[in-house]
Amino acid sequence: MRTDPPSGLLVALRAYETALATDDLDALDRLFAPGPDTLRGDATGLLVGHDEIAAFRGTRGGAPARRLVEVHVRTLDDDHALVLAVTEPLGGGRGQQTQLWERGPAGWVVAAAHVHAPAPAFDARVWRVLADPLVVGAPDGPLARRTVAVKDMYAVAGQRVGAGNPTWLAGASVEPRHAAAVDRLLAAGADVRGVARTDELAYSLAGTNAHSGAAPNPRAPGRVPGGSSSGSAAAVALGQADVGLGTDTGGSIRVPASYQGLHGIRTTHGAVPTTGLVPLAPTFDTVGWLTRDADLLAAVGDVLLPPDTAQPGGSPRLVVSRALLAHADADVAARVAAFAEHAGATPTDRWDDVDLAGWAEVFRVRQGWEAWHAHGAWVRAHPGALGADVAGRFAAASAIDDEAGASAAVRRETIRDRLLDLVGDDVLVLPAASSVAPRPEPGALDAVRTATLRLTCIAGLGGLPAVTLPTPLGPRPSADAPHDVAGFPGVGVRAAPPVGVCLVAAPGRDRALLALARALTVGS
């Protein structure tokens, strides 16, 4: 191995640094090797393939300005070299990058790269306020030494509620007391680590806040984290908190849990007090939380939930509907169907004639009417304060008159009666979201939101509890695959993005669902 660089390599390296500094996407694309095998990794995850790397680069808005302070070359042969560089961001700190360069038909290109950036004091995409801890819990209790990321819709004494919007935060007063759910967690010994980011006024399922940016999704780099409990979910997925306290109105626990491979629960409407919570649509808003495992999910339930009010005899029967699976993308439907089969779910045709698109429209209208009545005056008084996506939803909500809102409320009660009959004593198995986490492309996000609401509106319209579990990671290589050893997935084999399976039951069966989730996790 030589230390002298091959001809043309340093010229290509300088061209790369110039393209990076000017965010010249075309040049960067040319300087990365084409094809599906190119790699780029950093602290948020690994990107595989030129197209995936280019998609990430096109949405990040440029890299922080930096300079190279050391460059080391190890030449493997005339056409391959390893370059290690020490970087110094102009904002402070030091980082490193390691690149494998290869000489292709058009010149030198990067075949693989790993970037190590200085660790921030805290990630402002995940947290609005962070401390160690922000609020200390009781010295003893079932959740002692557990840390909680609190969605920025809940009151935390001594802090202001920001609701995901800087204008809202600027006009907010310091909270004199904790929200009810926060208070119970503290009394059980948990510490509040900080206040986590949320989508504006919780009116989104994507996690792409126009002001603070999208929180990273460590399980699916380059894809959205899911909202509106985006910061709470990311904090848990990144290992920065044990519990993510969030809310679920139209899927804001279930969607980020699905996108990030987490466990989550949306509780029966009214089961956990919403005192101290900024509302979105009060007759749909519920308390929920996310964890990395089913045991802690249930332990938090032991603190926050009342005893179950619905206790059917015997073990619950799991059921799965092909008609409902058809509302998800094929890959998601297949993984949920496989989970259901493994869990012993019984196929049912009782959902075959359900008009989910019509139900989702009832949900959209009533939710919009309530959201406008809760926040319309503030939205009108602060033009331009909201990001385009949330502003568009409030604009649509403002056009829903009282007659339409009342009509949707009546139709919701009819749908709820039908839902209670359809669910009965069973546990319904269905996708938690219609797709894997999409990339942050506005057109795609709108389509995914519409499709996902057709599935999530079931629990929303019925006020039903819903627990989300991660499905297995996807196909693995066969036992005789090359390089496959015990516990090792095989060279070049990549797990698919996470897919969440949702378990829905009758109102008041939250604890039974949590117990079932634990059993299914142990048996998986």
Side-chain angles (χ1 to χ4, degrees), residues 317-466:
R317 183 182 72 147
L318 275 67
V319 298
V320 62
S321 162
R322 291 190 179 276
L324 297 184
L325 290 178
H327 286 274
D329 289 353
D331 57 335
V332 171
R335 287 171 64 179
V336 174
F339 182 98
E341 182 179 8
H342 180 74
T346 301
T348 179
D349 59 4
R350 297 193 69 204
W351 297 79
D352 287 3
D353 63 346
V354 167
D355 176 17
L356 276 192
W359 285 12
E361 179 63 9
V362 172
F363 178 92
R364 184 194 70 81
V365 171
R366 184 62 194 182
Q367 181 198 39
W369 185 89
E370 292 188 18
W372 185 252
H373 275 255
H375 301 304
W378 184 89
V379 171
R380 279 183 171 149
H382 300 87
L386 294 169
D389 56 340
V390 177
R393 279 178 212 119
F394 273 109
S398 70
I400 301 171
D401 60 28
D402 290 347
E403 182 180 355
S407 175
V410 172
R411 292 182 64 194
R412 179 181 63 180
E413 290 307 308
T414 301
I415 293 169
R416 175 180 164 83
D417 291 342
R418 177 87 189 281
L419 275 166
L420 295 179
D421 177 63
L422 285 168
V423 173
D425 289 338
D426 295 334
V427 173
L428 176 65
V429 180
L430 75 163
S434 66
S435 71
V436 298
R439 300 192 185 281
E441 301 165 357
L445 294 181
D446 290 343
V448 169
R449 174 184 172 83
T450 298
T452 291
L453 280 172
R454 291 176 183 168
L455 293 165
T456 60
C457 75
I458 292 172
L461 291 167
L464 311 178

Side-chain angles (χ1 to χ4, degrees), residues 61 110 235:
V110 177

Side-chain angles (χ1 to χ4, degrees), residues 14-224:
R14 281 193 291 270
Y16 171 81
E17 288 297 317
T18 299
L20 195 67
T22 58
D23 200 27
D24 185 339
L25 300 182
D26 290 338
L28 289 168
D29 283 351
R30 291 193 300 271
L31 286 162
F32 265 69
D37 300 325
T38 310
L39 302 173
R40 182 200 181 278
D42 61 20
T44 64
L46 181 67
L47 302 173
V48 180
H50 183 278
D51 291 348
E52 189 167 329
I53 296 168
F56 152 77
R57 204 183 284 122
T59 59
R60 69 176 172 177
R66 69 181 192 182
R67 54 180 167 262
L68 298 187
V69 294
E70 290 183 43
V71 176
H72 301 269
V73 177
R74 296 295 181 267
T75 299
L76 308 177
D77 57 42
D78 288 344
D79 296 321
H80 297 86
L82 191 67
V83 176
L84 286 81
V86 177
T87 61
E88 193 171 84
L90 301 189
R94 280 205 169 185
Q96 292 184 17
Q97 70 178 21
T98 303
Q99 298 170 323
L100 175 63
W101 287 79
E102 64 182 19
R103 196 195 308 264
W108 285 98
V109 291
V110 177
H114 183 265
V115 180
H116 173 75
F122 74 97
D123 192 332
R125 299 169 300 171
V126 177
W127 300 97
R128 185 176 68 75
V129 181
L130 180 64
D132 191 25
L134 183 64
V135 185
V136 179
D140 297 302
L143 298 180
R145 294 178 297 281
R146 296 292 193 174
T147 56
V148 182
V150 177
K151 183 175 183 175
D152 197 11
M153 300 291 285
Y154 287 91
V156 175
Q159 303 293 323
R160 295 175 293 160
V161 177
N165 181 275
T167 303
W168 182 285
L169 176 65
S173 300
V174 172
E175 295 294 330
R177 61 186 61 85
H178 300 304
V182 174
D183 202 43
R184 290 185 184 182
L185 292 171
L186 290 167
D191 295 334
V192 171
R193 183 83 196 278
V195 177
R197 296 291 186 182
T198 177
D199 296 17
E200 293 177 283
L201 292 166
Y203 209 174
S204 175
L205 293 178
T208 52
N209 188 299
H211 308 282
S212 57
N217 182 343
R219 290 292 304 279
R223 298 173 183 267
V224 302

